[in-house]
Amino acid sequence: MKKDNRKKRLSIIGAGAVGTAAAQWAVCRSIADTIVLLDVVAGLPRGKALDLFQTSPLYGYAGNIVGTDDYADTAQSDVIIITAGLARKPGMSRDDLLEKNVRIIREVTEKIVKYSPDACLVVVTNPIDAMVYTVFKVSGFPKQQVVGMAGVLDSARYRTFIAQALAVAPSDVTALVMGVHGDHMLPLVRLASVGGVPIEGLLSKDEIENIVRRTQHGGAEIVQHLKTGSAFSAPGLAAVEMAQSILKDEKRVLPCAAYLEGEFGVSGVFLGVPVVLGRNGVERILEFSLAPNEQEALQKSVEAVKKQVAATGL
Ligand code: TXD
């Protein structure tokens, strides 16, 4: 295959906690020649980008880092990570949040597509399954170019807890979380393994149940500790893992929110499923047979996502 030597541009919309972490991980992994950090609050991305740029001599990143509030600076991006939006504040319902973030995501999408009609869009903003649907509808992009980040993070949490319980290297744990990013997510037990050995033979039923429950509430556990914000390091790296696979055409198999048209018996919504991520975005969805209890659990995810999508009014 011919190597693609064109300079790569990654833009990150929203210079908050997750956007900044993503920019840092993108620098560490040198995944693009130019990294653009954009926010509505003009000084914020400028200051953060400059600070990050000054790590270059220490870290050895040789690319450019731009902080801006001008979408023209994102032009010709190959990948755009969208983290812009509000987090839930006390007294705010999920529906309130959804309505506000739909408005923000709609505006952001209209602006980015004008400058980067060929970009792959990696959506991070919550409620993720509705926001990625919003980006898809507003952009008018082919389904391959729009993907949501949740499964990579949820699976990383799942793998961490399994590794901890078994005192083994986390990178040797293979485990998949499918479905919605919420209480009804589906950490698959049957397919979880360490070095090829199924965890069901290594951990008790109770231990596995606790791990599954902790994974499903992994975000809330961190919010409880932080009080004023939510997780950012692992979410930032999870988004970068996806961006890297696209930018470098790695064909990684990662759980992502992809638009389904019949796969797993589901149509017309984005849902967390294993996909092959490469230069063209979602290049393939890896469909496989679910056990009846897994299919039933996935159905709960679908119902939760459909409710969210209906609330977007799109
Ligand atoms: O698994 C996942 N998908 C998630 C999602 C994991 C972690 C965080 N998740 C969600 O990502 C979270 O619930 C939020 O909806 C987003 C971003 O989280 P973050 O913690 O980074 O929020 P911040 O720190 O509040 O940052 C949001 C930034 C902030 O700087 C705003 O000024 C900016 O978004 N913002 C905008 N930028 C550009 N354009 C517009 N219109 C805009 N509105 C706000």
Side-chain angles (χ1 to χ4, degrees), residues 13-19 39-41 44 71 83-86 101 104 107-108 124-126 128 149-150 153 181 230-231 235:
I13 313 298
V18 178
D39 203 286
V40 268
V41 184
L44 187 73
Y71 280 82
T83 75
L86 300 178
N101 280 351
I104 290 172
E107 176 202 314
V108 165
V124 176
T125 306
N126 265 334
I128 177 66
M149 189 291 284
L153 172 65
H181 183 55
S230 54

Side-chain angles (χ1 to χ4, degrees), residues 129 158 176-190 212 216 260 264-266 269 271-273 288-306:
D129 303 277
Y158 190 29
L176 170 64
V177 178
M178 288 177 59
V180 67
H181 183 55
D183 296 351
H184 291 301
M185 72 176 73
L186 176 56
L188 287 164
V189 173
R190 183 174 58 94
V212 165
Q216 286 167 327
L260 301 187
F264 297 98
V266 181
V269 289
L271 199 68
V273 291
F288 61 98
S289 294
L290 291 171
N293 65 322
E294 294 164 349
Q295 190 69 50
E296 203 180 299
L298 194 72
Q299 206 45 46
K300 287 202 179 123
S301 268
V302 175
E303 280 154 28
V305 171
K306 283 197 169 154

Side-chain angles (χ1 to χ4, degrees), residues 231-249:
F232 51 92
S233 283
L237 183 53
V240 162
E241 186 102 323
M242 292 167 65
Q244 177 175 327
S245 191
I246 300 167
L247 288 164
K248 301 201 169 192
D249 195 28

